[in-house]
Amino acid sequence: MQMIPRSHPQLPQEDTRFRNLLGEEMWDRLPPAIRDRFGKRVRGGESVAYQGVVTGMKMNWAGWVLAQVARLVGAPLPYDMSCVGQPAIVVVTEDIAGDGQFWVRQYGRRSGFPQMVHSSKRFAGATGLEEYIGYGLGIALKVEASEAALSFRSDHYFIALPGRRIRLPRLLSPGALRIEHRDLGAGRFRFSLSLGSRIFGRLVSQDAVFQDARA
């Protein structure tokens, strides 16, 4: 009888896209663990999954209203306070057709189905990195580095239409978005999301702690 070899997932390739955005000096400031996570490129058809738990969440009344309205366009913001203490999963898949990545975030809730957030990161635009959340809505992101964290900060929001791109004025933007990936050591990291407004203050913030994916 002929034995059929078992297939194994292919090892990730080196990814220099985030390093190129930051430059060598800023890239070298990052902890080795962060450079390893953002310096590997998953081959087409493969995914990397990180499991963790939501450790904190805050929301004022304006943030709650904004999060509920945002559910009409795919719920890109956390909207249920009961997610604290619940499991969270992040899955990153390489975009085979384009130069980017698909991100799927799943946040458990005390009751009902978990919240699913889908987005696509593309290495394009004036800042070099854009995140599309669906329905033509996108965010141009600036990437920053420190000795302990890699951060993504919103530069501007836009709507992408066939053959046209409309940049939203600041008055129509939901607020200043900041996402931070902070290394905690021992194969763990904290994902933090914060959205603030000059008028309404801190709208939404969420923290979750994840464990490195196992080979």
Side-chain angles (χ1 to χ4, degrees), residues 33 54 69 84 116 134 165 171 180:
V54 177
V69 173
V84 178
M116 303 292 294
R165 179 189 177 104
L171 290 177
E180 182 182 82

Side-chain angles (χ1 to χ4, degrees), residues 30-38 181 183 185 187-188 212:
L30 290 168
I34 295 182
R35 296 202 303 266
D36 181 61
R37 295 182 194 112
F38 288 86
H181 178 110
D183 188 58
R188 299 164 64 244
D212 270 337

